[in-house]
Amino acid sequence: MRFPIRLLAALSLALSTILSAPAWAQAAAPVSAQPYAAPDRELMVPVEGGRVYVRVNGVIGKGATPVVFIHGGPGGTHDGFAAMLGLADERPVILYDQLDSGRSDRPNDPANWRVERFVSELESIRQALGVDRWHVVGHSWGSAIALEYAARYPEHVASSVLAGTYISTPRWIADANALLTELPKPVQATIAACEGTAPPPASDCDAATEVFYAHFNRREPASPELIAYVRNIGGHGFNPVIYNAMWGPSEFRSTGSLKDYDAVPLLARIDGARTMFLVGQYDEARIDTVQDFARQTPGSELAVVPGAAHGMITDRPIATEAILRGWFRRHDGE
């Protein structure tokens, strides 16, 4: 397939960022600006339904425009984003766990599991930190929150990055089933049986799904640094209760509250010139689909992380950081 000119420009920018960073950026970064560094500040922010854990590297009000990362799931954690803390050599980096995830409160109240509440949660964090405008990076389910936030609070958004782009359940399910056809026939048959009325043992289903994940979800094992970070940061980790309630038990169909979710119409309401779609070369969010999203967002850009799957941040952290670093620099003053 052919990549659009804007995609090629984004990849060129990423490469130039790596090769020609200014001398001050090439110097050793402070401890708090290293991947998986300890936070400079931690707090529990009150939101509807409880309190959420927030960590900051860098000083808000100093340096360039802050960036906030929104994790996937629902029910995931901020942990994978800790690989991007090197960006704190230029700007404050804000990570957080959504309510019912990670180190945040875990009331497990279904009344809290509404898209609009997750969007308001992000706005509560902005207000608590005293941030005027920030770059908003959402990954997977976090892309939906980022898109909804950009449409509702454009005055506070310097730019939006919709990474591993999930913004439509029907499109996501269609992509997952299209990608299944690229796997060996026995794996396809097992997954089809697992979705049927008389599924095989759970161990067979898990093994077949793991083949899918190894191709399209993450292509590299967790690094020792990430494993150590997860151990040190603590908290309760991933929450399968909220995942099953909002999405469902299977990657290939949704039975939860998000089963009919489709935020594609919001693309026409955001500033395309300040929007980037970011996917891995082998992403579950298929490039063809995300290109269609970009076409519906005039002026937007699409970047692909070579060699990465859905988890591009942990698959290819250096390339991902380079793309983000260049994007943020270009949109700091807008």
Side-chain angles (χ1 to χ4, degrees):
M1 63 175 293
R2 293 188 301 174
F3 293 135
I5 293 175
R6 285 186 177 275
L7 168 57
L8 297 177
L11 293 175
S12 176
L13 173 66
L15 181 61
S16 66
T17 302
I18 296 172
L19 297 179
S20 61
W24 62 266
Q26 296 175 17
V31 172
S32 63
Q34 298 295 330
Y36 303 104
D40 292 323
R41 181 185 178 192
E42 296 177 284
L43 64 160
M44 297 293 289
V45 174
V47 300
E48 180 187 347
R51 303 171 306 154
V52 297
Y53 170 76
V54 179
R55 54 160 293 165
V56 182
N57 285 59
V59 179
I60 292 172
K62 295 184 178 180
T65 305
V67 56
V68 61
F69 286 89
I70 311 166
H71 66 72
T77 72
H78 76 272
D79 297 349
F81 288 135
M84 295 293 100
L85 290 173
L87 293 166
D89 65 351
E90 291 186 1
R91 69 191 67 252
V93 176
I94 302 160
L95 311 180
Y96 76 101
D97 290 326
Q98 295 157 26
L99 189 68
D100 288 313
S101 303
R103 292 186 63 180
S104 294
D105 290 346
R106 191 170 291 206
N108 273 342
D109 182 355
N112 295 320
W113 301 341
R114 312 180 322 275
V115 174
E116 61 270 20
R117 194 213 60 82
F118 286 99
V119 177
S120 297
E121 174 180 271
L122 181 59
E123 174 62 5
S124 295
I125 293 170
R126 185 196 66 78
Q127 294 177 10
L129 294 176
V131 173
D132 180 27
R133 296 172 76 247
W134 53 6
H135 299 286
V136 178
V137 180
H139 179 260
S140 196
W141 147 250
S143 289
I145 300 174
L147 173 57
E148 298 257 2
Y149 185 90
R152 189 185 304 183
Y153 301 104
E155 69 276 17
H156 298 305
V157 177
S159 78
S160 301
V161 178
L162 308 182
T165 316
Y166 162 76
I167 57 174
S168 168
T169 297
R171 300 293 293 271
W172 188 268
I173 295 296
D175 280 356
N177 285 282
L179 291 172
L180 268 179
T181 65
E182 301 181 21
L183 299 180
K185 295 293 186 182
V187 174
Q188 295 183 46
T190 299
I191 289 177
C194 293
E195 297 297 316
T197 56
S203 58
D204 292 353
C205 297
D206 291 344
T209 302
E210 185 59 30
V211 174
F212 179 88
Y213 285 154
H215 280 76
F216 308 116
N217 187 270
R218 42 102 187 97
R219 303 190 51 108
E220 300 292 341
S223 68
E225 294 81 6
L226 175 57
I227 293 172
Y229 180 84
V230 172
R231 181 177 62 249
N232 293 335
I233 198 68
H236 299 288
F238 172 74
N239 186 347
V241 176
I242 184 173
Y243 182 85
N244 287 333
M246 294 189 71
W247 180 260
S250 166
E251 190 72 23
F252 310 103
R253 60 188 172 96
S254 178
T255 57
S257 61
L258 292 173
K259 64 180 182 296
D260 298 317
Y261 180 77
D262 188 350
V264 173
L266 292 181
L267 295 175
R269 292 176 45 190
I270 62 175
D271 185 348
R274 294 188 288 126
T275 303
M276 178 170 68
F277 297 87
L278 178 64
V279 294
Q281 180 180 356
Y282 306 104
D283 208 311
E284 286 183 78
R286 293 176 63 243
I287 294 174
D288 286 354
T289 295
V290 180
Q291 282 188 118
D292 183 52
F293 294 157
R295 281 191 290 268
Q296 297 181 65
T297 317
S300 66
E301 298 188 24
L302 169 63
V304 176
V305 181
H310 189 56
M312 76 282 292
I313 289 175
T314 49
D315 273 355
R316 297 290 187 270
I318 295 174
T320 303
E321 180 184 320
I323 292 171
L324 291 174
R325 189 180 292 274
W327 171 262
F328 297 151
R329 286 177 182 170
R330 286 193 289 131
H331 294 275
D332 276 336
E334 295 183 359

